[in-house]
Amino acid sequence: MALRGCVAMRTCAASVWLAATSAAAQPAPGIAPLNYFLHAAGPAAVPTMQLGWMLTALAVAVSSLVAVLLFIAIARRRPHADPAALHADSGGLAWIYIGTGVSSVVLLMSLVYALMTLETVAAPARQPNLTITVTAYDWWWKVTYSDAPDPACNFVTANEIHIPVGEPVKIELRSADVIHAFWVPQLAGKTQTIPGQINQQWIEADQPGTYRGQCSQFCGAQHAHMAFEVVAQSAQDFDAWRRAQGQAAQPVSSADAAAGQRLFGERCAGCHTVRGTDALGAQAPDLTHLDSRRLLAAGALTNTPAHRIDWIQHAQRIKPDSLMPSIALTAADAAALSAYLSTLH
Ligand code: HEC
């Protein structure tokens, strides 16, 4: 009884929460749906997709066969005049042995195929030249590029991972708080991020494009709004992006943006970094090149100047419980802050 009451309360609380948040936190338009995992786009994902299809086909075939046999058995049943005859061995037992034998062989073959697939995707054919560290936070992703010999190409960004197309890329996975899981369905399987441990994963994209990623281990209230994007680019575009991201923020020129920067120093710098300024907060996304990102707050919104101000003022409505407070701003403050954030290309 107590359990039922508890379940009912939770369901009720969940529906109230859903109603309260559904208007505010719609997925950002243009973010690809997750059913894209049926269309693998790289060598770490293709073998697992084929395995998935094979096991699905096998499950459908076995269920259909069992259903057909069941129907045949029902259609052919005869009323027995003598109940003792029911227990007489009429050779039916042989079918049970055959059935068990066949399914054991099929299951064993599936196991071997699954193990071979695991082996195939365990490591890329070539040693990756690029390693990216991804740290999961409640509820966003810190992305660190740190392995370039030229320090100008090493930096921290958030929620958007760029990779060169056709190259295997090693991803080192960490967590800053609880267990999350890193999943880019089109590029690879899921790997957990565990506090105090470094897990590894590799991804590779065959074609340039934007691939959606998502946290796939329940990690709290905003788990569903913990998305990210992987952008696969030609080697030249990737290098250009990496050089641009490595730069510090440009000094501001307009009076409005300067006022916004002062406000940022007072109200935001405790949590956020903007490289090249005094803002050095380390517990929130690096905003040095905020304007270059397509999405905001781990996929909750598209990144437009209006959405940025909406997010700053209503973070707790858009992502309830997120670790960014809603911050009240006067119209003049909002305009100045918006001018400043727009300089962060
Ligand atoms: C107490 C810490 C804290 C303060 C203060 C704070 N933020 Fe944040 N901010 C966060 C966290 C944490 C996130 C990530 C939230 C998420 O996506 O769940 C975030 C996300 C953001 C984002 C989205 C970044 C991205 O990559 O999508 C922007 C923009 C932003 N904050 C701007 C501001 C501005 C401007 C201020 C000051 C007016 C501010 N923040 C003050 C903690 C803070």
Short mmCIF file of all heavy atoms in Angstrom, two decimals, residues 138-140 158-159 225 264 267-268 271-272 283-287 290 293 295-298 308 311-312 319 322-325 327 329 337 341, ligand 1:
data_model
loop_
_atom_site.label_atom_id
_atom_site.label_comp_id
_atom_site.label_asym_id
_atom_site.label_seq_id
_atom_site.Cartn_x
_atom_site.Cartn_y
_atom_site.Cartn_z
N ASP A 138 26.84 18.22 -14.21
CA ASP A 138 25.38 18.40 -14.16
C ASP A 138 25.09 19.78 -14.72
O ASP A 138 25.43 20.76 -14.07
CB ASP A 138 24.88 18.33 -12.71
CG ASP A 138 24.59 16.89 -12.29
OD1 ASP A 138 24.45 16.04 -13.14
OD2 ASP A 138 24.49 16.67 -11.06
N TRP A 139 24.53 20.07 -15.88
CA TRP A 139 24.14 19.19 -16.94
C TRP A 139 24.65 19.75 -18.23
O TRP A 139 23.91 20.27 -19.02
CB TRP A 139 22.61 19.06 -16.95
CG TRP A 139 22.13 18.28 -15.77
CD1 TRP A 139 22.11 16.92 -15.67
CD2 TRP A 139 21.60 18.75 -14.53
NE1 TRP A 139 21.61 16.52 -14.44
CE2 TRP A 139 21.29 17.64 -13.73
CE3 TRP A 139 21.38 20.03 -14.00
CZ2 TRP A 139 20.76 17.76 -12.45
CZ3 TRP A 139 20.86 20.13 -12.72
CH2 TRP A 139 20.55 19.00 -11.97
N TRP A 140 25.97 19.71 -18.38
CA TRP A 140 26.63 20.21 -19.59
C TRP A 140 27.96 19.50 -19.74
O TRP A 140 28.35 18.70 -18.89
CB TRP A 140 26.80 21.75 -19.50
CG TRP A 140 27.61 22.21 -18.33
CD1 TRP A 140 27.19 22.33 -17.03
CD2 TRP A 140 29.00 22.57 -18.33
NE1 TRP A 140 28.23 22.75 -16.24
CE2 TRP A 140 29.35 22.90 -17.00
CE3 TRP A 140 29.97 22.66 -19.32
CZ2 TRP A 140 30.63 23.32 -16.65
CZ3 TRP A 140 31.26 23.07 -18.96
CH2 TRP A 140 31.56 23.39 -17.63
N ALA A 158 32.78 24.26 -24.65
CA ALA A 158 31.67 23.51 -24.03
C ALA A 158 30.62 23.09 -25.04
O ALA A 158 30.31 23.83 -25.98
CB ALA A 158 31.00 24.39 -22.96
N ASN A 159 30.11 21.90 -24.82
CA ASN A 159 28.90 21.40 -25.51
C ASN A 159 29.01 21.27 -27.02
O ASN A 159 28.01 20.94 -27.68
CB ASN A 159 27.68 22.28 -25.18
CG ASN A 159 27.40 22.33 -23.69
OD1 ASN A 159 27.62 21.35 -22.99
ND2 ASN A 159 26.93 23.46 -23.21
N HIS A 225 18.14 17.31 -20.88
CA HIS A 225 18.67 18.52 -21.52
C HIS A 225 20.18 18.58 -21.38
O HIS A 225 20.76 19.62 -21.05
CB HIS A 225 18.02 19.77 -20.93
CG HIS A 225 16.55 19.82 -21.21
ND1 HIS A 225 15.60 19.98 -20.24
CD2 HIS A 225 15.88 19.70 -22.37
CE1 HIS A 225 14.40 19.95 -20.78
NE2 HIS A 225 14.55 19.78 -22.08
N PHE A 264 29.65 41.72 -16.49
CA PHE A 264 30.02 40.31 -16.53
C PHE A 264 31.03 40.01 -15.41
O PHE A 264 30.91 39.01 -14.71
CB PHE A 264 30.62 39.98 -17.91
CG PHE A 264 30.81 38.51 -18.13
CD1 PHE A 264 29.82 37.76 -18.76
CD2 PHE A 264 31.97 37.86 -17.72
CE1 PHE A 264 29.98 36.39 -18.95
CE2 PHE A 264 32.13 36.50 -17.91
CZ PHE A 264 31.14 35.76 -18.54
N ARG A 267 28.95 39.94 -12.10
CA ARG A 267 27.87 38.98 -11.85
C ARG A 267 28.12 37.58 -12.41
O ARG A 267 27.40 36.65 -12.06
CB ARG A 267 26.56 39.52 -12.47
CG ARG A 267 26.38 40.99 -12.27
CD ARG A 267 25.25 41.47 -11.44
NE ARG A 267 24.10 40.70 -11.17
CZ ARG A 267 22.87 41.11 -11.40
NH1 ARG A 267 22.66 42.26 -12.02
NH2 ARG A 267 21.85 40.39 -11.03
N CYS A 268 29.06 37.42 -13.32
CA CYS A 268 29.20 36.13 -14.00
C CYS A 268 30.58 35.49 -13.83
O CYS A 268 30.73 34.28 -13.96
CB CYS A 268 28.93 36.29 -15.50
SG CYS A 268 27.67 37.52 -15.91
N CYS A 271 31.78 32.24 -11.94
CA CYS A 271 31.54 30.89 -12.47
C CYS A 271 32.13 30.69 -13.87
O CYS A 271 32.52 29.58 -14.22
CB CYS A 271 30.04 30.60 -12.53
SG CYS A 271 29.27 30.50 -10.91
N HIS A 272 32.12 31.74 -14.70
CA HIS A 272 32.51 31.58 -16.10
C HIS A 272 33.88 32.17 -16.41
O HIS A 272 34.25 33.20 -15.85
CB HIS A 272 31.51 32.31 -17.02
CG HIS A 272 30.16 31.65 -17.07
ND1 HIS A 272 29.91 30.51 -17.79
CD2 HIS A 272 28.98 32.00 -16.51
CE1 HIS A 272 28.64 30.17 -17.67
NE2 HIS A 272 28.05 31.07 -16.89
N GLN A 283 33.67 26.62 -12.88
CA GLN A 283 32.61 25.63 -12.65
C GLN A 283 31.47 25.73 -13.65
O GLN A 283 30.39 25.19 -13.43
CB GLN A 283 32.05 25.78 -11.23
CG GLN A 283 32.97 25.23 -10.16
CD GLN A 283 33.38 23.78 -10.43
OE1 GLN A 283 32.53 22.92 -10.66
NE2 GLN A 283 34.68 23.50 -10.42
N ALA A 284 31.70 26.44 -14.77
CA ALA A 284 30.61 26.64 -15.74
C ALA A 284 31.25 26.70 -17.13
O ALA A 284 32.47 26.81 -17.25
CB ALA A 284 29.89 27.93 -15.40
N PRO A 285 30.43 26.63 -18.18
CA PRO A 285 31.02 26.63 -19.53
C PRO A 285 31.91 27.84 -19.80
O PRO A 285 31.60 28.95 -19.38
CB PRO A 285 29.78 26.67 -20.44
CG PRO A 285 28.68 26.09 -19.62
CD PRO A 285 28.97 26.47 -18.20
N ASP A 286 33.05 27.59 -20.48
CA ASP A 286 33.93 28.65 -20.94
C ASP A 286 33.19 29.45 -22.01
O ASP A 286 32.67 28.88 -22.96
CB ASP A 286 35.21 28.00 -21.51
CG ASP A 286 36.25 29.01 -21.95
OD1 ASP A 286 35.92 29.83 -22.84
OD2 ASP A 286 37.38 28.99 -21.43
N LEU A 287 33.14 30.77 -21.84
CA LEU A 287 32.34 31.58 -22.77
C LEU A 287 33.20 32.39 -23.74
O LEU A 287 32.69 33.26 -24.43
CB LEU A 287 31.41 32.52 -21.98
CG LEU A 287 30.40 31.85 -21.04
CD1 LEU A 287 29.51 32.90 -20.36
CD2 LEU A 287 29.53 30.85 -21.77
N LEU A 290 31.68 32.04 -27.08
CA LEU A 290 30.27 31.65 -26.96
C LEU A 290 29.51 31.82 -28.28
O LEU A 290 28.75 30.95 -28.71
CB LEU A 290 29.60 32.51 -25.87
CG LEU A 290 28.07 32.40 -25.79
CD1 LEU A 290 27.67 31.04 -25.26
CD2 LEU A 290 27.49 33.50 -24.90
N ARG A 293 29.12 29.11 -31.04
CA ARG A 293 28.43 27.83 -30.84
C ARG A 293 27.00 27.90 -31.38
O ARG A 293 26.38 28.95 -31.36
CB ARG A 293 28.43 27.45 -29.35
CG ARG A 293 29.83 27.37 -28.78
CD ARG A 293 29.91 26.47 -27.58
NE ARG A 293 29.70 27.11 -26.29
CZ ARG A 293 30.67 27.65 -25.55
NH1 ARG A 293 31.91 27.68 -26.00
NH2 ARG A 293 30.40 28.16 -24.37
N LEU A 295 24.34 25.96 -30.29
CA LEU A 295 23.30 25.76 -29.27
C LEU A 295 23.74 26.33 -27.94
O LEU A 295 24.93 26.58 -27.71
CB LEU A 295 22.99 24.27 -29.13
CG LEU A 295 22.50 23.57 -30.40
CD1 LEU A 295 22.42 22.06 -30.19
CD2 LEU A 295 21.15 24.11 -30.84
N LEU A 296 22.77 26.48 -27.07
CA LEU A 296 23.00 27.10 -25.77
C LEU A 296 22.57 26.14 -24.66
O LEU A 296 21.57 25.43 -24.82
CB LEU A 296 22.09 28.34 -25.72
CG LEU A 296 22.51 29.55 -24.91
CD1 LEU A 296 23.88 30.04 -25.36
CD2 LEU A 296 21.49 30.67 -25.11
N ALA A 297 23.33 26.14 -23.57
CA ALA A 297 22.94 25.37 -22.39
C ALA A 297 22.69 23.90 -22.72
O ALA A 297 21.65 23.33 -22.40
CB ALA A 297 21.72 26.00 -21.71
N ALA A 298 23.68 23.27 -23.36
CA ALA A 298 23.62 21.84 -23.69
C ALA A 298 22.38 21.47 -24.50
O ALA A 298 21.69 20.50 -24.21
CB ALA A 298 23.74 21.01 -22.42
N ARG A 308 20.02 34.18 -25.51
CA ARG A 308 21.06 34.32 -24.47
C ARG A 308 20.51 35.12 -23.29
O ARG A 308 20.69 34.75 -22.13
CB ARG A 308 22.31 34.99 -25.06
CG ARG A 308 23.02 34.09 -26.07
CD ARG A 308 24.47 34.49 -26.23
NE ARG A 308 24.67 35.66 -27.06
CZ ARG A 308 25.06 35.62 -28.34
NH1 ARG A 308 25.28 34.44 -28.92
NH2 ARG A 308 25.25 36.72 -29.03
N TRP A 311 17.94 33.13 -21.46
CA TRP A 311 18.60 32.12 -20.62
C TRP A 311 19.14 32.75 -19.33
O TRP A 311 18.93 32.24 -18.23
CB TRP A 311 19.73 31.44 -21.41
CG TRP A 311 20.68 30.68 -20.55
CD1 TRP A 311 21.94 31.04 -20.20
CD2 TRP A 311 20.44 29.41 -19.90
NE1 TRP A 311 22.52 30.09 -19.38
CE2 TRP A 311 21.62 29.08 -19.19
CE3 TRP A 311 19.36 28.55 -19.85
CZ2 TRP A 311 21.74 27.92 -18.43
CZ3 TRP A 311 19.48 27.38 -19.09
CH2 TRP A 311 20.65 27.08 -18.41
N ILE A 312 19.82 33.89 -19.46
CA ILE A 312 20.43 34.51 -18.27
C ILE A 312 19.35 34.89 -17.26
O ILE A 312 19.49 34.66 -16.06
CB ILE A 312 21.26 35.75 -18.68
CG1 ILE A 312 22.46 35.30 -19.53
CG2 ILE A 312 21.73 36.54 -17.47
CD1 ILE A 312 23.11 36.40 -20.32
N LYS A 319 15.83 25.48 -17.49
CA LYS A 319 16.42 24.21 -17.02
C LYS A 319 16.32 24.20 -15.50
O LYS A 319 17.29 24.51 -14.81
CB LYS A 319 17.90 24.12 -17.43
CG LYS A 319 18.13 23.46 -18.78
CD LYS A 319 19.60 23.45 -19.16
CE LYS A 319 20.29 22.15 -18.84
NZ LYS A 319 21.60 22.01 -19.54
N SER A 322 19.15 23.68 -12.71
CA SER A 322 20.48 23.77 -13.30
C SER A 322 21.35 24.62 -12.38
O SER A 322 20.84 25.40 -11.56
CB SER A 322 20.42 24.38 -14.70
OG SER A 322 20.71 25.75 -14.65
N LEU A 323 22.67 24.49 -12.50
CA LEU A 323 23.55 25.15 -11.55
C LEU A 323 23.83 26.60 -11.93
O LEU A 323 24.72 27.24 -11.38
CB LEU A 323 24.84 24.35 -11.39
CG LEU A 323 24.56 22.93 -10.87
CD1 LEU A 323 25.84 22.14 -10.72
CD2 LEU A 323 23.81 22.96 -9.55
N MET A 324 23.08 27.12 -12.88
CA MET A 324 23.15 28.56 -13.18
C MET A 324 21.88 29.20 -12.61
O MET A 324 20.77 28.78 -12.93
CB MET A 324 23.22 28.77 -14.69
CG MET A 324 22.86 30.17 -15.09
SD MET A 324 24.08 30.95 -16.13
CE MET A 324 23.17 32.43 -16.57
N PRO A 325 22.04 30.24 -11.75
CA PRO A 325 20.84 30.90 -11.21
C PRO A 325 20.18 31.77 -12.28
O PRO A 325 20.85 32.19 -13.22
CB PRO A 325 21.40 31.77 -10.08
CG PRO A 325 22.83 32.01 -10.45
CD PRO A 325 23.29 30.83 -11.26
N ILE A 327 19.15 35.30 -13.33
CA ILE A 327 19.76 36.56 -12.88
C ILE A 327 18.90 37.73 -13.35
O ILE A 327 18.70 37.90 -14.56
CB ILE A 327 21.20 36.67 -13.41
CG1 ILE A 327 22.03 35.52 -12.82
CG2 ILE A 327 21.82 38.02 -13.06
CD1 ILE A 327 23.42 35.39 -13.38
N LEU A 329 17.93 41.31 -14.47
CA LEU A 329 18.69 42.37 -15.15
C LEU A 329 17.74 43.52 -15.50
O LEU A 329 16.61 43.28 -15.90
CB LEU A 329 19.28 41.84 -16.47
CG LEU A 329 20.30 40.70 -16.42
CD1 LEU A 329 20.58 40.21 -17.83
CD2 LEU A 329 21.59 41.16 -15.74
N LEU A 337 24.93 43.69 -21.57
CA LEU A 337 25.44 42.31 -21.49
C LEU A 337 25.32 41.64 -22.86
O LEU A 337 26.24 40.93 -23.30
CB LEU A 337 24.62 41.55 -20.45
CG LEU A 337 25.28 40.37 -19.76
CD1 LEU A 337 26.65 40.72 -19.22
CD2 LEU A 337 24.38 39.87 -18.63
N LEU A 341 28.27 39.94 -24.94
CA LEU A 341 28.30 38.51 -25.32
C LEU A 341 28.42 38.35 -26.83
O LEU A 341 29.02 37.39 -27.31
CB LEU A 341 27.04 37.79 -24.80
CG LEU A 341 26.91 37.70 -23.27
CD1 LEU A 341 25.64 36.96 -22.86
CD2 LEU A 341 28.13 37.02 -22.63
C1 HEC B 1 26.71 30.21 -9.92
C2 HEC B 1 27.40 30.04 -11.15
C3 HEC B 1 26.98 30.83 -12.36
C4 HEC B 1 26.80 32.19 -12.48
C5 HEC B 1 26.94 33.27 -11.41
C6 HEC B 1 26.48 32.43 -13.87
N1 HEC B 1 26.45 31.26 -14.55
FE1 HEC B 1 26.09 31.04 -16.53
N2 HEC B 1 26.15 29.02 -16.34
C7 HEC B 1 26.44 28.35 -15.17
C8 HEC B 1 26.32 26.94 -15.41
C9 HEC B 1 26.56 25.84 -14.39
C10 HEC B 1 25.94 26.78 -16.75
C11 HEC B 1 25.62 25.49 -17.46
C12 HEC B 1 24.15 25.23 -17.25
C13 HEC B 1 23.59 24.05 -18.00
O1 HEC B 1 23.70 24.01 -19.24
O2 HEC B 1 23.00 23.18 -17.33
C14 HEC B 1 25.85 28.11 -17.31
C15 HEC B 1 25.54 28.37 -18.63
C16 HEC B 1 25.61 29.64 -19.20
C17 HEC B 1 25.49 29.92 -20.60
C18 HEC B 1 25.33 28.87 -21.71
C19 HEC B 1 26.71 28.44 -22.13
C20 HEC B 1 26.77 27.42 -23.24
O3 HEC B 1 27.87 26.99 -23.57
O4 HEC B 1 25.76 27.02 -23.77
C21 HEC B 1 25.60 31.26 -20.77
C22 HEC B 1 25.54 32.04 -22.07
C23 HEC B 1 25.77 31.82 -19.45
N3 HEC B 1 25.78 30.81 -18.52
C24 HEC B 1 25.93 33.16 -19.22
C25 HEC B 1 26.01 33.72 -17.93
C26 HEC B 1 26.06 35.14 -17.68
C27 HEC B 1 26.05 36.21 -18.74
C28 HEC B 1 26.12 35.30 -16.32
C29 HEC B 1 26.12 36.56 -15.53
C30 HEC B 1 25.06 37.50 -15.79
C31 HEC B 1 26.15 33.95 -15.75
N4 HEC B 1 26.09 33.05 -16.75
C32 HEC B 1 26.26 33.69 -14.38
C33 HEC B 1 26.79 28.90 -13.96
C34 HEC B 1 26.73 30.26 -13.67
#
